[in-house]
Amino acid sequence: MVEKDWWKGKVAYQIYPKSFNDSNGDGIGDLKGITEKLDYLQSLGIDILWLSPVYKSPFVDQGYDIADYYAIDPQFGTMEDMEELIAEAKKRGISIIMDLVVNHCSDQHEWFQKALADPEGPYADYFYFIESEKEPNNWETYFGGSVWDKVPGTNKYYLHSFHKGQPDLNWQNPVVREEIYTMINWWLEKGIGGFRIDAIINIKKDLEWRSLPSEQENGLVPVRYSLANAQPIEPFLQEMKEKTFARYNAFTVGEVFNETDEELHFFIGEEGVFSSIFDFKQTILGQKGNGWYSHDLPTAEELKDSIFKAHRRADSIGVLSTIIENHDEPRGVSHYIPEGEVTEISKKALATVQMLRKGIPFIYQGQEIGMENQIFESIDEFDDINTLNEYHVAKEAGLTDEEALKAISKYSRDNARTPMQWNGEEKLGFTTGKAWLVSKQPQREINVEEQEENPQSILNYYRALTALYRDEVYGSTIREGEFVPVLEEVKNIIAYERCGEKRVLVLVNYQSEPQTVTLPTPVRKVLLANIPAQMNGQGDQLSLAGYQALVCELEG
Ligand code: TEU
Ligand code: CA
């Protein structure tokens, strides 16, 4: 039996399997490819490894449409490969966590196939089959279009909050819940450490299927607005925890958006249903609700404000998982650093801000070498369904082709989905064949091989950051210390203390201009800096260069 709360103070890494490492030259990353890179991940200081879905899938939403929860998709390998990966990871002190996608499955799953074959039979109740003359309401999927599609040959519609190939599962049905719990326990028995839990807030439904007032020309309303009228899901999630995760001391991190203060207690409080949830507050900065074309990039002040608020709200309740990017987001360095200011120094500054916050930092593959957004020259270069929809939304709003392309390029999920850049050769060391997705001009100079050799590289800086979690003297402070905002009112300075056995100051001048600051108490020792040997000032006065980041022990 694993220790309770074993996951506290750990460092996590997300792998997007299709794009991580291809072991057999078919252009698609696979499980053996991941196993080959475990030494690399260990050298990066990773404790927890989250795999985006590797289950059998028709890939309408890149594996987030699962056709068989008990099978590995042949593109990724076999169940033996999976077992080998779990065992090899364990040898290196790394726990694997899987993606738990249970708001929906694939329309190719046998449950849905049986439901279609007998729409009056028991399997129809695994889903939401609603009898209606036309679409039961005006909800719009996350990827555009109605959430309702006809059940062929009937007067019924089925619900899909995402793509029509991702029918929503009916959590009201106890048989469905038991099926899900059995599957979760089956995986936990295999020795995985837990799960990242996909889109979980969406299992809430307004069972009266009420339409909502629309501001859109097409009369539709994004389905997430219907969640406000939905029935509570607390009992279901508590039941899931009791019957599965709690029995194995599993680590669980929920993909939860827009939670209220009360819900925060319920998700990550003392008796919370999950170990942690992601802090998405910064990823939604600058969003105005219309579509990607109308978003603004966040400023340093907004970023700081969002981080401080998140900790003030959550730290006394439970543990946040922090990110700057994931497989649904643009690259963090392109999103949180203004255009023209993206340099190795500023990338390290952003890394410092995220990695030493309280909670569990998740590094997304390629983040540790500072991978940037890709350059897309035409709409045909995209794969992601959400991007294609947002292009359409931008065009509908009156943008020209060129403007629409520019807007979606900034936010496309494909920015983060191109292959991991292992070396500077044409195929990036990712494959010997033809990569399934690659932009025409990958920035090949950003790669692991090159950064391994350079002691000042971003990769080695990330290693230094994760090393702080294991440091004999400062580790406990970084893992458990309180998060205390510092110099909050000083514009473009993002600074906080981690207070535990030691006082560790994390100080970042988040702008290209230099700035002088007055510290709470003098510096005792510099632990890490993104600009070597630069520490100007006397006593508590410190002059910082643009994007300078310092981690130091304070006196007192
Ligand atoms: O994302 C859930 C979600 O709410 C998405 O709409 C997210 O906001 C969107 O991807 C941003 O472009 C999860 C997965 O992370 C995502 O990859 C899946 O497409 C989705 O669930 C459906 O399973
Ligand atoms: Ca492969």
Side-chain angles (χ1 to χ4, degrees):
M1 186 71 173
V2 284
E3 207 181 308
K4 191 167 183 296
D5 297 348
W6 58 272
W7 44 269
K8 281 192 178 159
K10 301 289 190 206
V11 177
Y13 188 93
Q14 179 189 355
I15 285 188
Y16 197 66
K18 215 170 164 178
S19 302
F20 188 63
N21 185 32
D22 174 19
S23 72
N24 63 351
D26 65 356
I28 295 172
D30 44 52
L31 294 174
K32 277 198 186 318
I34 299 173
T35 306
E36 283 173 7
K37 297 293 182 184
L38 284 171
D39 288 337
Y40 167 77
L41 294 168
Q42 186 182 24
S43 80
L44 182 56
I46 301 304
D47 308 291
I48 296 174
L49 199 57
W50 156 28
L51 306 188
S52 274
V54 290
Y55 313 90
K56 189 156 186 274
S57 168
F59 289 90
V60 296
D61 185 20
Q62 292 303 354
Y64 282 90
D65 46 322
I66 297 173
D68 185 350
Y69 292 96
Y70 295 94
I72 298 295
D73 194 275
Q75 295 196 341
F76 294 132
T78 63
M79 194 56 78
E80 288 69 52
D81 296 340
M82 186 68 215
E83 283 157 3
E84 189 191 7
L85 171 58
I86 296 170
E88 288 299 319
K90 198 164 273 170
K91 282 187 201 159
R92 293 163 178 83
I94 298 175
S95 299
I96 303 281
I97 68 170
M98 299 281 277
D99 216 309
L100 184 64
V101 188
V102 287
N103 171 69
H104 46 265
C105 59
S106 162
D107 61 354
Q108 303 304 308
H109 194 286
E110 70 165 336
W111 297 336
F112 195 72
Q113 289 299 316
K114 286 181 176 167
L116 290 186
D118 181 8
E120 302 299 325
Y123 283 96
D125 262 348
Y126 275 49
F127 301 91
Y128 293 103
F129 277 25
I130 307 292
E131 219 172 279
S132 182
E133 303 260 291
K134 55 180 182 66
E135 286 83 0
N137 63 33
N138 68 347
W139 300 349
E140 182 179 46
T141 81
Y142 284 90
F143 303 141
S146 170
V147 297
W148 302 102
D149 255 70
K150 204 73 198 252
V151 179
T154 68
N155 55 352
K156 293 181 180 185
Y157 284 81
Y158 74 92
L159 177 77
H160 58 89
S161 299
F162 294 88
H163 189 271
K164 67 176 186 329
Q166 296 169 294
D168 283 37
L169 286 162
N170 178 5
W171 274 72
Q172 304 295 318
N173 182 347
V175 182
V176 171
R177 299 204 300 275
E178 281 305 322
E179 294 259 25
I180 291 171
Y181 306 154
T182 305
M183 178 273 289
I184 292 173
N185 288 334
W186 187 86
W187 276 105
L188 289 169
E189 281 294 324
K190 277 213 177 294
I192 62 164
F195 294 93
R196 173 266 187 182
I197 302 169
D198 186 67
I200 194 67
I201 48 168
N202 295 284
I203 70 169
K204 274 193 191 191
K205 312 288 178 208
D206 172 6
L207 297 169
E208 293 177 41
W209 312 116
R210 285 167 281 199
S211 277
L212 293 165
S214 170
E215 286 170 13
Q216 296 175 193
E217 243 165 63
N218 62 9
L220 299 179
V221 174
V223 60
R224 68 192 149 90
Y225 291 113
S226 73
L227 300 177
N229 300 323
Q231 99 290 5
I233 48 172
E234 281 82 337
F236 297 160
L237 295 184
Q238 280 295 354
E239 177 186 82
M240 169 158 73
K241 176 188 170 185
E242 277 157 30
K243 294 195 167 183
T244 63
F245 313 138
R247 296 186 183 171
Y248 294 83
N249 283 329
F251 168 64
T252 51
V253 51
E255 190 200 22
V256 173
F257 286 95
N258 299 323
E259 71 288 346
T260 62
D261 286 348
E262 300 78 68
E263 282 172 335
L264 197 58
H265 275 274
F266 150 68
F267 284 121
I268 56 170
E270 199 57 32
E271 299 296 316
V273 291
F274 301 140
S275 316
S276 180
I277 59 172
F278 286 109
D279 175 20
F280 286 121
K281 290 285 186 270
Q282 20 167 357
T283 62
I284 57 176
L285 289 172
Q287 297 189 1
K288 301 199 193 106
N290 301 331
W292 291 350
Y293 72 90
S294 72
H295 291 182
D296 288 328
L297 292 175
T299 64
E301 284 296 287
E302 286 168 341
L303 178 61
K304 167 166 76 181
D305 187 54
S306 136
I307 292 173
F308 288 2
K309 269 199 189 125
H311 288 291
R312 285 200 170 103
R313 184 166 169 257
D315 284 355
S316 62
I317 300 172
V319 178
L320 290 175
S321 288
T322 64
I323 60 161
I324 61 166
E325 63 197 47
N326 65 27
H327 67 293
D328 291 334
E329 297 292 325
R331 287 291 181 176
V333 293
S334 303
H335 188 69
Y336 296 107
I337 302 170
E339 223 177 321
E341 297 179 12
V342 182
T343 63
E344 295 210 352
I345 303 267
S346 61
K347 287 176 181 181
K348 290 176 185 170
L350 177 61
T352 314
V353 171
Q354 181 215 347
M355 293 294 292
L356 301 178
R357 290 175 60 179
K358 192 177 170 74
I360 301 177
F362 275 70
I363 301 170
Y364 178 73
Q365 66 182 46
Q367 175 185 332
E368 75 275 26
I369 52 170
M371 281 181 68
E372 300 174 15
N373 275 355
Q374 303 294 318
I375 298 162
F376 297 102
E377 286 171 342
S378 106
I379 184 68
D380 310 325
E381 291 175 18
F382 294 96
D383 164 84
D384 169 38
I385 44 174
N386 204 18
T387 307
L388 302 178
N389 175 57
E390 289 284 350
Y391 183 74
H392 175 73
V393 170
K395 289 294 299 284
E396 290 280 291
L399 275 72
T400 63
D401 288 359
E402 205 182 317
E403 289 163 347
L405 181 69
K406 201 168 161 218
I408 59 164
S409 295
K410 270 196 186 134
Y411 294 97
S412 176
R413 306 199 293 182
D414 287 337
N415 281 307
R417 295 180 178 188
T418 58
M420 177 70 184
Q421 302 188 173
W422 296 104
N423 66 34
E425 288 160 26
E426 195 198 329
K427 298 185 173 178
L428 304 162
F430 163 71
T431 184
T432 52
K434 186 176 180 315
W436 72 279
L437 174 77
V438 67
S439 71
K440 285 210 180 110
Q441 313 167 36
Q443 289 167 300
R444 289 198 266 148
E445 67 283 5
I446 302 176
N447 66 70
V448 173
E449 192 177 87
E450 206 260 347
Q451 295 197 19
E452 285 285 5
E453 281 153 26
N454 172 6
Q456 308 302 337
S457 67
I458 298 172
L459 175 60
N460 282 316
Y461 190 80
Y462 267 93
R463 287 189 172 127
L465 286 165
T466 62
L468 283 175
Y469 279 78
R470 294 154 202 251
D471 192 275
E472 252 177 56
V473 182
Y474 302 99
S476 73
T477 305
I478 301 294
R479 292 191 303 270
E480 297 148 32
E482 221 185 304
F483 178 100
V484 184
V486 180
L487 300 172
E488 197 167 355
E489 63 299 334
V490 186
K491 199 166 171 216
N492 296 337
I493 291 287
I494 305 184
Y496 53 82
E497 267 189 49
R498 298 297 310 281
C499 300
E501 278 179 65
K502 300 279 176 190
R503 283 181 73 176
V504 175
L505 173 73
V506 177
L507 175 62
V508 178
N509 181 25
Y510 208 92
Q511 61 183 340
S512 51
E513 312 302 316
Q515 164 125 279
T516 299
V517 294
T518 308
L519 298 181
T521 68
V523 169
R524 180 172 287 163
K525 187 176 170 201
V526 176
L527 308 179
L528 186 64
N530 67 342
I531 304 180
Q534 191 172 337
M535 171 77 181
N536 301 320
Q538 272 191 324
D540 55 7
Q541 291 286 312
L542 207 61
S543 297
L544 297 167
Y547 287 106
Q548 184 167 4
L550 281 175
V551 183
C552 23
E553 184 188 354
L554 291 182
E555 287 186 11

